[in-house]
Amino acid sequence: MSGESDVPRDGLPGPAPEERPHPEGRRNKQGIRIDPAAEAEKQPRRAVISALVDHEPGVLSRVSGLVSRRQFNIESLTVGPTTVEGHARITMAVEEPDPGIDQIKKQLSKLIPVIAVGELDDDAISTEVALLKVGGEEPDKVHAVTEMYDGTTKDAGPETITVQLTGDTATIDDAVNAFRQFGIIEIARTGPTALAHGSKTTVPGERPAYMGEPTTTADAERERNGSIESDEETNANADRNTEVNTR
Amino acid sequence: MSESPTAAERKRAAEAETPEAGGSENTEEDGETRETSTVPETGAAAIVAALEAANVDTAFGVQGGAIMPVYDELYGSSVRHITMAHEQGAAHAADAYGIVAGEPGVCLATSGPGATNLVTGIADASMDSDAMLALTGQVPTEFVGNDAFQEVDTIGITTPITKHNYFAEDSKTVGDVVGEAFALANTGRPGPTLVDLPKDVSFGDADGEPAPPEPPARADPDPAADPSAVETAARAIERAERPVCLFGGGVIKGDASEEARTFARELGVPVVTTMPGIGSFPEGDPLCLEWAGMHGTGYANMAITHTDLLIGVGTRFDDRLTGGVETFAPEAEVVHVDIDPAEVSKNIYADYPLIGDAGTVLEQLRAEIQQPPDAEAWRDQCEQWTEEYPMTYRADEDEPLKPQFVVEAFDEATDDDTVVTAGVGQHQMWAAQFWTFTEPRTWLSSHGLGTMGYGVPGAIGARVALDDAGETDRDVVCFDGDGSFLMTMQELSVAVREHMDVTFVVLNNEYIGMVRQWQDAFFEGRHMASDYNWMPEFDTLAEAFGARGFRIDDYDEVSEVVEEALAYDGPSVVDAHVDPDENVYPMVPSGGANGLFALSEDQL
Ligand SMILES: Cc1ncc(C[n+]2csc(CCOP(=O)(O)OP(=O)(O)O)c2C)c(N)n1
C-alpha cells in the first residue's frame, strides 16, 4: 500500500469532487428528506407538556437545565405536588417545530426522576394565573374590566389596584391588553398548568388519584410497572418509547 | 521504588489478611465464594461492600480529605485501587477499562478539585456512551452550600454529563445507592453515573449489607423492538437497491458485533462504520467500506451519499459523521435501530424507527426478512469506489518519515486482538485509517468529546482490564500526538509503578498538527499557537519516568524499534519524528457534503 509512485505529493489520488456523481436529493435542517421545491422547514408550534416526576430535591433544576442546555424554547414552567406522596407534576409550555417537541419529550423521559411524560391535546383543560398591579386613578373602570374577565380585586389603594385573573393563556393575554390603559405597574404570570380532558390520563399510565386516599410512592411504583395502558401506548413503536419512560 | 509491592501483590496480601470471624460470604457467579469484610458498619464500608458485590476488580483514583473514609475501607478490600497521577487520568482509565471489560469502570476522587478534575473524563464517557461509575467525596452535609474548603457543586456540574447522579444523603442507604448507580451505568444505553459522598455520610452508621446492584426499574428498556415496526422495516430492506449498513458504537457497546456481521453478510449489504463503530465489522471483509465522516474513507462517504436505504444501528448521527445534514444520505430512507429513543430522529429523521437493543433487533429483522435485497450492482459500484479512492500515501525513502507508515508497521507486528488507544488529532485519524481493525472493543478513542490526552490513561485502563481478565498476552498500543501526550503523560509514572506492558507511540510532528492543518486550509497558513517545536525528547523523558524510550527518525529504523518496543515487558515510549507537513485526507470540511470530500488541500 505504501510508497506508491502515482500518489500525489500532497493528498490522495482519485476523481476530484466535480468529477463525481451527485445525488439530487436533499434533507431539511431537521434531517427530514424533502422535495426541495415543495417542502420547507417545519414551523414552530406551541405545545403543553406534562411530566410526572419524583418530588425530590434537584428535580426542577434537572428538568430546566436539560431544556436550556439543549436550546429548547421554553415559555413557562409550573410545578406542584400531586396527591400521590412523593410525586409532582411539571407543566411546560414550549414553542418548537415538531421534531423539537418530540426531542423534549424523549429527553425528559430519560431523566431518572421523571416517571412519565405526556403532551396535552387541544381539548385539554389549561389554565393560568396572573396577578396585575395597575394604576389606581380610575378604580371604577379597573373594576369593570376585572369583572369582564371574571377576575378578582385582591388589593385596592389610592395609587395601585392589584387584580387576580385566571383563564387560558389567550384570555389572560386579552385581559392584559385591556388593562394596559391603566398603566401596568407589575405583573406576575404562572404560565399554563393543564390536565387532559375528561377521563383521559395526562401522562400515559397515570394512576387515577380519585380512587381513594393519596397513594404512596410504593403504590404508584407498583402501579407503574403494572398493566395500566393509555391510548397513546398502542401507537407506533417510537411513540411507545417517546411517551413512556417506563418499560 | 522496588521495595513497595505491586498492586497485584497488595491485592493478594489484602485478601489473605481479610479477617474471617464474622465475615460474610459473597457468592460469585462461578459459584465460588470469597471472603469479604464483616457486615459494613459505616457508610464507607457499605460503599466498598457495594463495589465488591458488583464484582468490581479495580478502581482508579486519587486520595483526598473528603474521600478518605472510602479509601480507608478499600484498605484490605478485594477491590484493587490504582492511584493515578491526576483525576482526569483516573476517569479516562476507568472509561477505557469499562469498554474493554464490558462492565462499568470505577473512578474515585475527593471533593472540589478532585471532582472537577474528573469532569473531562466523565463528559468524555458521556459523549461516547461508556459505562462508568464515579465516586466523589463531598464536604460534610452541614457545610454543603457554604463554600466550605474544597467544596464544589459536583451534582450541579456533572448533571449535564452523567446519565444520572446521586447525592448520598444517608449512611444507611449509601451502599444501595452505589450499587444502583453501578448497575444503571450499564443498563440500556450505557453512560457514566456519579455518587457524591459527603464525608459525614461515609463516616455515619450503616446497618447491613447493601442491596444487590440493580438499576431503577424505569431505566431498564425493553430489548425488543415493536414487531410491526420490524415488519415494515424488513419490507423496506427487501426492496432496497442500494442498501448500506451503518454500524455505530452502539453495536460494540451492545455486544452486537456478531449479530451485525451475520446480518450484513447474509443480506449482502455493504457496511460502513462510524469512528466509534470501528471494530464492529472486520475491516478486511469484502463488504466493509471502513468508516465514514470527516476523515473517513472516500468509498464509505460515496456509499453513504448514494445509498437509497441506510440501516443505522447504534449511531447518533454525529455531525462529524454526517457533515451537513442537508446532504447526508440525501436519497436514503433511514432505518434506525437504537436503544435510546431520544437518538431516533434527533439529527437525521428515521423513516423506520426501531427502538431496542442492537443485537436483539438485528435478529428480529433477520427473522423477518424473507429475501435479501437485490444489490449486486450496488456492491460492484461500492467496490469500484474502493479502487477509485484508495487509502494510500507516499513513503519516499529520502523524505521525512510518514506517520501512516509507523501505524502500519505496528499493525503488522501485532495480533488482531491488540487494543489501540489514541489521543486526539491527526495521529488519531491515521491510527483509525491505517490500522486494520477486526474486533470490537479494540479501538479506544475520544470520539464525541474529542479529548486530547485520552490516549495514555486510556491505554492504562485497557491494560488493567485485559490483565484483570487474564488476557495478559494481548498487546496495548497507544498512538499519541506530541500535544496530546503532553497533556496526560504524567500517567506514565503509573504505568511504570504498576509495571504495565503498554507501548506508547508518539507521532511527533512538533505541531498540534490537526490545528496546523486547519490553519493551512482555512486561516491562510497563520500558525497561531500550533507550532510545538519546544517539545521535550520523549524517549529521554520516558527513561526519566523509568520506562524504556526509543526514537525513530527514519524509515530504516522503524522495524527494529517496533519489534523492540513491543517485546519490552513494561511501558515503552517510541518518539517517532514524522513529517511535520503531512496532512489527513480525505477530508469533508465541517458541515460539508460527505460526497464532496477533499483529497488534497486545493480541493477544500
Ligand atoms: C483538551 C483539548 N484541547 C484542545 C483541543 C483542540 N485540538 C484538536 S486536535 C488538536 C491538535 C492535537 O495535536 P497533537 O496531539 O500533537 O496531534 P497531531 O494532530 O499533531 O497528530 C487540538 C489542539 C482538543 N481536541 N482537546
Side-chain angles (χ1 to χ4, degrees):
Chain A
M1 201 186 248
S2 55
E4 287 175 28
S5 58
D6 57 347
V7 179
R9 190 142 291 281
D10 178 23
L12 292 171
E18 59 276 8
E19 293 157 25
R20 300 171 202 157
H22 298 299
E24 301 279 291
R26 275 289 174 278
R27 291 177 190 275
N28 66 15
K29 286 221 159 22
Q30 292 143 351
I32 304 171
R33 255 177 333 123
I34 48 165
D35 171 359
E39 207 179 336
E41 306 290 293
K42 289 238 160 111
Q43 291 308 308
R45 70 176 171 92
R46 191 163 180 282
V48 178
I49 292 168
S50 185
L52 200 60
V53 302
D54 288 333
H55 199 181
E56 61 182 34
V59 65
L60 187 59
S61 99
R62 285 178 199 275
V63 168
S64 58
L66 180 142
V67 170
S68 67
R69 78 174 172 272
R70 292 191 179 270
Q71 297 217 27
F72 294 131
N73 194 3
I74 186 163
E75 293 191 337
S76 71
L77 189 142
T78 64
V79 206
T82 72
T83 55
V84 179
E85 195 189 310
H87 283 189
R89 183 186 303 287
I90 296 180
T91 311
M92 241 191 232
V94 297
E95 198 163 313
E96 281 285 329
D98 280 328
I101 292 170
D102 246 31
Q103 264 298 304
I104 296 176
K105 291 192 282 186
K106 289 171 173 177
Q107 294 290 354
L108 270 179
S109 301
K110 276 170 64 171
L111 295 178
I112 300 294
V114 171
I115 300 158
V117 177
E119 182 185 341
L120 288 139
D121 297 336
D122 289 342
D123 67 353
I125 316 303
S126 164
T127 195
E128 151 163 23
V129 176
L131 292 171
L132 268 93
K133 190 183 287 178
V134 298
E137 288 84 32
E138 297 169 292
D140 293 350
K141 277 197 187 171
V142 171
H143 186 67
V145 176
T146 307
E147 293 247 292
M148 213 168 94
Y149 285 97
D150 284 337
T152 46
T153 306
K154 301 301 270 187
D155 174 51
E159 277 161 22
T160 63
I161 300 171
T162 305
V163 300
Q164 173 187 307
L165 302 161
T166 51
D168 60 27
T169 302
T171 310
I172 304 241
D173 285 344
D174 284 353
V176 170
N177 273 331
F179 276 103
R180 277 185 207 280
Q181 54 179 311
F182 313 114
I184 297 175
I185 298 162
E186 285 175 346
I187 185 165
R189 292 176 67 159
T190 61
T193 187
L195 289 178
H197 189 89
S199 58
K200 266 187 281 185
T201 59
T202 298
V203 298
E206 188 164 3
R207 183 189 207 290
Y210 63 83
M211 298 275 282
E213 290 303 300
T215 45
T216 64
T217 321
D219 286 340
E221 197 80 38
R222 226 172 293 127
E223 209 60 62
R224 190 159 57 225
N225 297 329
S227 57
I228 296 180
E229 293 232 334
S230 78
D231 302 347
E232 286 101 315
E233 275 177 301
T234 53
N235 289 343
N237 180 249
D239 280 347
R240 180 196 72 191
N241 289 287
T242 305
E243 302 286 349
V244 197
N245 190 31
T246 57
R247 35 187 68 250
Chain B
M1 193 170 63
S2 58
E3 260 137 73
S4 65
T6 67
E9 285 165 1
R10 273 197 305 278
K11 184 182 174 186
R12 277 194 296 278
E15 274 168 1
E17 273 168 26
T18 306
E20 279 173 38
S24 64
E25 281 183 340
N26 192 353
T27 308
E28 290 190 313
E29 263 172 40
D30 56 13
E32 274 181 32
T33 54
R34 75 171 179 211
E35 301 290 341
T36 60
S37 55
T38 48
V39 173
E41 287 173 1
T42 62
I47 292 162
V48 173
L51 297 179
E52 287 172 347
N55 289 319
V56 172
D57 284 319
T58 305
F60 303 86
V62 177
Q63 259 280 27
I67 196 79
M68 272 174 81
V70 179
Y71 268 84
D72 190 55
E73 289 296 335
L74 283 171
Y75 192 90
S77 148
S78 68
V79 178
R80 171 191 184 195
H81 178 267
I82 296 189
T83 301
M84 301 295 286
H86 188 291
E87 289 87 353
Q88 185 186 350
H92 291 319
D95 170 314
Y97 183 100
I99 298 171
V100 173
E103 56 194 49
V106 177
C107 57
L108 297 101
T110 194
S111 64
T116 55
N117 276 352
L118 283 184
V119 165
T120 302
I122 297 172
D124 193 286
S126 173
M127 291 290 274
D128 288 346
S129 307
D130 295 337
M132 178 172 126
L133 170 66
L135 300 176
T136 49
Q138 184 53 279
V139 300
T141 314
E142 60 172 320
F143 293 140
V144 168
N146 293 351
D147 303 325
F149 176 65
Q150 293 197 329
E151 187 198 350
V152 78
D153 176 10
T154 305
I155 294 294
I157 290 174
T158 59
T159 293
I161 54 169
T162 48
K163 194 168 163 182
H164 188 54
N165 56 19
Y166 301 79
F167 183 82
E169 285 169 4
D170 187 347
S171 53
K172 296 205 163 49
T173 54
V174 65
D176 306 345
V177 170
V178 168
E180 178 177 307
F182 181 89
L184 176 62
N186 217 16
T187 304
R189 178 181 183 174
T193 58
L194 179 145
V195 187
D196 202 25
L197 304 162
K199 202 168 180 178
D200 56 316
V201 171
S202 297
F203 267 137
D205 293 343
D207 49 2
E209 295 288 332
E214 285 278 351
R218 65 175 84 132
D220 201 359
D222 190 342
D226 179 75
S228 68
V230 171
E231 204 184 307
T232 4
R235 297 293 88 79
I237 295 170
E238 285 165 0
R239 50 168 199 267
E241 288 169 7
R242 306 188 304 277
V244 166
C245 284
L246 175 68
F247 294 147
V251 173
I252 293 172
K253 309 284 158 62
D255 283 324
S257 301
E258 258 333 292
E259 289 87 345
R261 290 166 191 219
T262 312
F263 180 85
R265 284 170 179 157
E266 275 188 5
L267 298 183
V269 176
V271 174
V272 167
T273 74
T274 66
M275 200 166 83
I278 287 175
S280 58
F281 197 81
E283 290 188 329
D285 190 291
L287 281 173
C288 192
L289 303 171
E290 297 160 59
W291 53 285
M294 181 173 279
H295 290 298
T297 64
Y299 30 100
N301 281 321
M302 287 304 276
I304 283 279
T305 303
H306 292 273
T307 173
D308 67 348
L309 185 88
L310 186 63
I311 308 165
V313 187
T315 169
R316 61 194 175 86
F317 294 104
D318 176 81
D319 58 279
R320 280 294 187 273
L321 167 76
T322 61
V325 290
E326 292 97 329
T327 47
F328 180 75
E331 297 185 335
E333 289 197 299
V334 174
V335 178
H336 193 174
V337 180
D338 208 292
I339 192 79
D340 180 354
E343 286 311 327
V344 174
S345 297
K346 186 181 79 177
N347 295 334
I348 296 295
Y349 178 79
D351 304 86
Y352 306 98
L354 299 173
I355 316 292
D357 163 70
T360 311
V361 178
L362 285 173
E363 286 196 331
Q364 283 180 287
L365 272 174
R366 199 151 59 87
E368 185 60 44
I369 294 169
Q370 276 133 30
Q371 204 180 338
D374 180 10
E376 205 183 321
W378 171 241
R379 283 191 296 272
D380 290 346
Q381 172 64 74
C382 290
E383 201 188 314
Q384 196 186 323
W385 282 326
T386 62
E387 282 157 21
E388 272 178 353
Y389 300 101
M391 290 300 293
T392 176
Y393 57 93
R394 277 176 82 110
D396 302 302
E397 293 287 328
D398 52 346
E399 300 265 318
L401 177 65
K402 294 290 181 187
Q404 299 95 322
F405 186 88
V406 179
V407 172
E408 285 188 332
F410 273 97
D411 186 19
E412 277 155 27
T414 51
D415 294 334
D416 279 355
D417 61 4
T418 299
V419 175
V420 176
T421 74
V424 167
Q426 293 181 315
H427 63 280
Q428 174 193 29
M429 297 303 145
W430 289 317
Q433 288 178 336
F434 289 91
W435 191 281
T436 304
F437 290 93
T438 56
E439 299 309 320
R441 302 184 189 275
T442 58
W443 164 239
L444 275 53
S445 183
S446 173
H447 303 108
L449 198 65
T451 309
M452 286 170 72
Y454 180 87
V456 175
I460 288 174
R463 179 74 270 164
V464 177
L466 292 178
D467 292 351
D468 278 358
E471 299 179 19
T472 48
D473 52 351
R474 287 175 63 183
D475 283 319
V476 176
V477 177
C478 163
F479 287 104
D480 229 336
D482 43 331
S484 291
F485 189 70
L486 210 57
M487 287 208 177
T488 51
M489 68 168 191
Q490 66 272 34
E491 305 301 346
L492 201 50
S493 59
V494 176
V496 171
R497 188 193 68 217
E498 304 283 335
H499 197 74
M500 292 178 182
D501 192 10
V502 179
T503 310
F504 301 93
V505 185
V506 183
L507 297 179
N508 188 347
N509 54 9
E510 299 195 0
Y511 273 113
I512 50 170
M514 189 58 98
V515 170
R516 198 265 303 135
Q517 176 168 348
W518 283 45
Q519 285 171 332
D520 286 341
F522 309 115
F523 293 87
E524 285 147 33
R526 290 191 292 273
H527 292 171
M528 176 64 199
S530 62
D531 192 340
Y532 273 33
N533 57 15
W534 41 271
M535 282 292 108
E537 290 181 355
F538 291 115
D539 52 337
T540 317
L541 201 57
E543 301 279 348
F545 273 105
R548 274 297 301 277
F550 299 91
R551 180 179 167 124
I552 306 179
D553 287 286
D554 274 311
Y555 284 102
D556 53 15
E557 294 162 356
V558 174
S559 64
E560 197 184 321
V561 169
V562 166
E563 209 171 291
E564 273 189 58
L566 288 171
Y568 179 67
D569 181 21
S572 57
V573 176
V574 178
D575 188 5
H577 286 255
V578 296
D579 185 352
D581 295 324
E582 186 64 7
N583 281 337
V584 184
Y585 289 106
M587 177 176 186
V588 180
S590 310
N594 284 354
L596 299 182
F597 51 87
L599 296 166
S600 61
E601 192 174 308
D602 54 15
Q603 291 177 354
L604 281 169

